[in-house]
Amino acid sequence: MKKILILSAFILLIALQFASADIQIVNTADKTATHNSITPINFTINNIGKAVSDVAIKISNISNPPQLFDVTITNNSKKSIIENGSESYTINYAIPQYLAKGAYPVTIFALANKSGTIIQASKTFSININETPAMEINEVTITTFPGRNLTYSFSIKNTGNSNLSNIAFTVLSALNDSYNNAIKLSIPTVQSLGIGETKVVNFNLSIPKRQEIKSYQTIVQARGSGETLDVLNNASFTINLETHYCEIGNIGSDINLEIRDPEGGADFYPSDTVNVEAKVRNYD
């Protein structure tokens, strides 16, 4: 109601600046649109009586209070209307990103010069914005090695026009190797995500020490609730396992290192050099 009262006062203020109308705006109906889109608004200006020139069009934006913007008429032939004639126009109207669900009044103003007198007409209609919940999840690629429990993170952003809640994550395919070892992903639920908000989600990655060395891929699905609709989105998770080495070779997971006494226990003085015999065995 407050929006309508403000817009009505706005229209009255503009109308007082011009003479009464000999032109009419017709064929304009309420529109349904989504946020962050371009919506074509089609309408016709009927001229009653003598020919008019210098036709100009303005339109209000979706704000509180509304503001008027000039519309560029690129076709010069549409800047005049013959006696008792009509012309059709299209405005590509930008719907703001994150605009919430609801009905928003918009007014078109048409101005013209008739025999030296500026005349005008206006028409108000509604743009009805639907709820369109949406979210983006960044893909994850991890390179590591077996036998680790780690914490990684990814980001999730609410790109829709409604608040989201209870966003739960499901790993759609198992990360198993040929020996039935399995990598585990533990991803917590995001309780809330506001319109346009981005959050970082920390998750746990657990890799068995005998997991086969190769690349693993799965899809993580996120499901959340908007005001009246649910939303789904998927992201690819890739985990590349590599063999981990130290200076003496593959550390594996079971290493035995045996170093024998140098030179049979002989004295070892500064600047002396002795040979050390080492034996390393990898039991993995």
Side-chain angles (χ1 to χ4, degrees):
M1 180 61 73
K2 185 177 179 182
K3 288 181 184 176
I4 295 172
L5 289 175
I6 292 174
L7 187 60
S8 298
F10 177 67
I11 295 169
L12 179 60
L13 179 63
I14 295 296
L16 290 175
Q17 302 178 44
F18 304 97
S20 59
D22 285 328
I23 53 176
Q24 296 175 338
I25 298 174
V26 297
N27 299 334
T28 299
D30 291 346
K31 303 284 292 184
T32 298
T34 59
H35 81 111
N36 196 30
S37 66
I38 302 295
T39 298
I41 299 172
N42 302 308
F43 62 97
T44 300
I45 298 178
N46 287 342
N47 177 34
I48 304 169
K50 295 180 180 180
V52 297
S53 61
D54 302 326
V55 174
I57 298 170
K58 299 176 183 289
I59 193 167
S60 63
N61 66 351
I62 298 175
S63 63
N64 191 7
Q67 297 175 306
L68 269 184
F69 290 90
D70 293 327
V71 176
T72 301
I73 301 175
T74 57
N75 187 341
N76 288 331
S77 67
K78 292 183 177 292
K79 294 180 180 180
S80 59
I81 306 175
I82 63 174
E83 183 175 349
N84 295 320
S86 62
E87 287 287 350
S88 297
Y89 303 86
T90 297
I91 299 173
N92 290 319
Y93 195 79
I95 307 297
Q97 188 175 21
Y98 306 133
L99 185 65
K101 175 183 176 182
Y104 297 86
V106 174
T107 299
I108 298 172
F109 294 91
L111 312 175
N113 185 332
K114 178 172 286 191
S115 303
T117 300
I118 301 300
I119 60 175
Q120 68 93 32
S122 64
K123 183 70 177 290
T124 298
F125 61 98
S126 289
I127 295 182
N128 300 301
I129 304 300
N130 292 329
E131 179 189 3
T132 51
M135 57 185 168
E136 292 180 351
I137 312 166
N138 69 306
E139 296 185 346
V140 174
T141 299
I142 297 168
T143 299
T144 184
F145 52 90
R148 306 197 76 189
N149 289 298
L150 303 167
T151 298
Y152 286 92
S153 64
F154 62 91
S155 64
I156 180 170
K157 182 177 182 178
N158 183 347
T159 57
N161 67 339
S162 61
N163 294 318
L164 301 179
S165 61
N166 300 319
I167 303 170
F169 300 91
T170 303
V171 180
L172 297 185
S173 59
L175 297 168
N176 293 342
D177 65 12
S178 55
Y179 304 101
N180 289 324
N181 298 306
I183 299 171
K184 301 295 184 184
L185 296 174
S186 299
I187 308 175
T189 297
V190 175
Q191 298 300 325
S192 63
L193 193 64
I195 296 173
E197 182 181 9
T198 298
K199 282 188 176 179
V200 174
V201 180
N202 296 314
F203 68 96
N204 182 257
L205 174 67
S206 179
I207 308 171
K209 66 180 181 179
R210 298 186 185 277
Q211 189 79 29
E212 190 174 356
I213 301 297
K214 64 177 185 177
S215 181
Y216 298 82
Q217 288 186 325
T218 188
I219 299 296
V220 172
Q221 183 179 84
R223 177 190 292 269
S225 299
E227 294 177 13
T228 60
L229 300 172
D230 287 347
V231 60
L232 289 172
N233 203 357
N234 297 335
S236 173
F237 276 50
T238 301
I239 301 168
N240 300 311
L241 293 189
E242 296 182 342
T243 303
H244 188 60
Y245 291 94
C246 65
E247 291 180 359
I248 58 174
N250 187 354
I251 66 167
S253 54
D254 262 323
I255 298 257
N256 180 270
L257 175 63
E258 179 183 342
I259 300 178
R260 297 180 180 177
D261 290 338
E263 301 293 338
D267 292 333
F268 186 35
Y269 296 100
S271 76
D272 279 356
T273 300
V274 295
N275 295 321
V276 177
E277 183 180 349
K279 186 178 185 181
V280 181
R281 183 173 182 182
N282 185 351
Y283 287 93
D284 199 9

